Amino acid sequence: MDIQERLDLIMSTGDEIITTEELKQLLETKQNPVAYDGFEPSGQMHIAQGIMRAINTNKMLKAGVHFKFWVADWFAWMNNKMNGDLDAIKKVGEYQIEVWKSCGMNVKDVEFLWTSDAMQDKEYWKRTVNIARNSTVQRIIRCSQIMGRSEKDTLSAAQIFYPCMQCSDIFHLKADITHLGMDQRKVNILAREVGPKIGLWKPVVISIHMLQGLGKPPENVDDPVERAIAMKMSKSIPDSAIFMTDTEEDVKRKITGAYCPEKQVAENPIMDYMKYIIFERFKDVKIERQEKFGGDVTYYRFGELSEDFRHGKLHPMDVKNATARCINELLEPTRKHFSTGKAQKLAEFVRTAAVTR
């Protein structure tokens, strides 16, 4: 691919690029720039973390980007996930890597690194303290949304230090690109501001789309970034999320009960799944209907389907049935992967932990 093709492919993974010009310059000057995503091992993975992450990572790899996954076990520990049990957190991290192996991510081309392995590095802590020296407490607290917290929450001292460490991670990993959700935007912007102050670089920030939860969007949240965060799929509300090891019946039940107002495409989770998951993985999508409702129809692009839905040519239940069928097809390899051996034991541990912890 030429530079423009690589640029277009990378940009297709993000809702916001800061900045496009810097990204293009990076591709012109570096054959294999480094991108990273960090994740807390904190429980079952849903399809935004599994299938959608695999789709976006594979695009980045195809564009010639070297991708690093930061298994943030210490961050989950600091954020009191799994009741602060670091050994349990590590098991969850192993489970999440197994999920990506099962759902189509090109894991052989991805580098998995663990936070705990960096904790003996003196330069890591020197850089982290330097970032803290160049940041105000108020600015760090404003970054608390990266932990799923708000500025109004009572934060532990570890949670206040968390953003300084996450900012430091970018430079520890030599990442040219941060490739995380919009909810991580504030700490990535902090890295762009503080990096040059401490003699380091300014990373390109790609904020990827956050898949919507299945419930009705919140009211009285007007800021677009805050609204996207409030709408995202959350494992803390199980029926709003489709998990990677959900049964066929679970998927059908959740999709059937999902928010999907007639003729509304924006802020409609079913449309969101069609655009960001199903049409990314399927060449065409068949909507099955009785003849009295127009009969079966096949779509080859999301734009065609969304236009027909917008004009009332497709009923919400027609689209829900197709969504459930496609999602179940995509989840079947993961269900099979976790039905035997080590993977099965890890999945059972995570399921049990999600209930008891």
Side-chain angles (χ1 to χ4, degrees):
M1 291 187 288
D2 62 25
I3 296 295
Q4 189 60 49
E5 289 172 326
R6 294 172 67 198
L7 180 65
D8 291 343
L9 187 57
I10 293 171
M11 288 180 62
S12 73
T13 70
D15 275 355
E16 180 186 58
I17 316 291
I18 305 175
T19 67
T20 303
E21 293 76 15
E22 291 174 8
L23 176 58
K24 184 177 181 181
Q25 184 179 24
L26 179 64
L27 294 175
E28 290 170 343
T29 57
K30 196 168 186 178
Q31 183 64 33
N32 300 111
V34 175
Y36 105 102
D37 183 12
F39 63 95
E40 285 187 8
S42 59
Q44 296 188 79
M45 286 180 73
H46 50 58
I47 58 173
Q49 299 165 315
I51 298 172
M52 189 174 167
R53 178 73 266 183
I55 290 167
N56 285 331
T57 300
N58 288 348
K59 285 183 176 182
M60 297 290 281
L61 295 172
K62 187 176 180 181
V65 174
H66 178 70
F67 210 100
K68 296 181 179 181
F69 272 100
W70 192 229
V71 189
D73 49 357
W74 264 50
F75 287 85
W77 182 42
M78 293 165 66
N79 207 8
N80 204 35
K81 298 298 175 68
M82 309 303 290
N83 284 347
D85 184 337
L86 191 54
D87 289 334
I89 288 167
K90 289 179 180 294
K91 282 189 178 181
V92 178
E94 293 174 13
Y95 152 82
Q96 292 182 319
I97 294 171
E98 290 296 318
V99 170
W100 284 319
K101 288 179 181 178
S102 73
C103 70
M105 183 184 288
N106 296 329
V107 292
K108 62 181 176 55
D109 297 323
V110 170
E111 191 173 0
F112 290 101
L113 301 165
W114 293 71
T115 302
S116 51
D117 292 337
M119 293 302 102
Q120 301 301 316
D121 186 346
K122 292 181 180 179
E123 288 303 312
Y124 179 92
W125 290 109
K126 181 180 178 181
R127 182 176 52 251
T128 301
V129 171
N130 212 7
I131 290 167
R133 289 178 59 248
N134 283 273
S135 306
T136 66
V137 173
Q138 290 78 12
R139 178 63 190 280
I140 295 301
I141 290 175
R142 287 202 299 274
C143 292
S144 60
Q145 66 182 198
I146 66 176
M147 301 175 281
R149 313 289 174 177
S150 77
E151 295 178 43
K152 297 179 181 179
D153 290 341
T154 299
L155 303 176
S156 70
Q159 288 169 327
I160 291 175
F161 208 55
Y162 185 119
C164 299
M165 290 176 61
Q166 184 169 329
C167 187
S168 185
D169 292 344
I170 296 166
F171 305 110
H172 173 77
L173 295 169
K174 297 180 172 54
D176 304 294
I177 301 168
T178 66
H179 199 254
L180 298 90
M182 188 67 75
D183 55 345
Q184 306 297 301
R185 183 182 188 275
K186 287 185 178 179
V187 77
N188 292 330
I189 297 301
L190 175 66
R192 283 177 60 84
E193 293 175 2
V194 78
K197 292 180 182 179
I198 60 175
L200 299 171
W201 61 95
K202 187 163 62 173
V204 172
V205 175
I206 300 179
S207 296
I208 60 177
H209 180 74
M210 292 188 295
L211 204 65
Q212 293 178 44
L214 292 167
K216 184 178 180 180
E219 298 177 357
N220 304 319
V221 182
D222 298 324
D223 179 83
V225 175
E226 295 295 334
R227 188 165 183 79
I229 294 170
M231 288 169 54
K232 74 171 183 175
M233 185 175 287
S234 173
K235 65 183 71 175
S236 63
I237 310 174
D239 272 2
S240 79
I242 297 174
F243 295 103
M244 292 297 296
T245 52
D246 272 353
T247 65
E248 286 191 36
E249 292 72 24
D250 285 334
V251 172
K252 290 176 183 177
R253 174 180 58 81
K254 291 178 181 182
I255 293 291
T256 299
Y259 177 76
C260 185
E262 194 171 354
K263 299 183 182 180
Q264 180 181 317
V265 174
E267 298 193 350
N268 182 329
I270 301 303
M271 292 291 107
D272 216 37
Y273 302 172
M274 277 287 178
K275 179 178 181 179
Y276 289 98
I277 291 185
I278 293 172
F279 275 94
E280 289 283 354
R281 282 291 185 90
F282 292 90
K283 293 181 179 178
D284 57 74
V285 176
K286 184 178 182 181
I287 304 291
E288 298 176 347
R289 301 182 296 191
Q290 296 180 28
E291 286 298 329
K292 65 180 180 180
F293 297 126
D296 296 349
V297 58
T298 299
Y299 292 94
Y300 298 91
R301 293 189 299 274
F302 172 73
E304 297 172 339
L305 182 144
S306 63
E307 277 303 298
D308 276 2
F309 186 81
R310 191 192 316 276
H311 290 98
K313 295 179 181 179
L314 290 174
H315 188 274
M317 192 51 67
D318 296 331
V319 185
K320 285 183 177 184
N321 289 337
T323 300
R325 184 181 70 251
C326 291
I327 293 293
N328 270 321
E329 186 174 336
L330 292 173
L331 291 181
E332 192 53 35
T334 300
R335 294 186 189 117
K336 184 176 181 180
H337 182 76
F338 283 97
S339 65
T340 58
K342 174 187 174 183
Q344 183 181 37
K345 293 179 181 178
L346 284 172
E348 184 58 34
F349 172 81
V350 172
R351 278 194 296 269
T352 303
V355 173
T356 60
R357 292 178 184 272

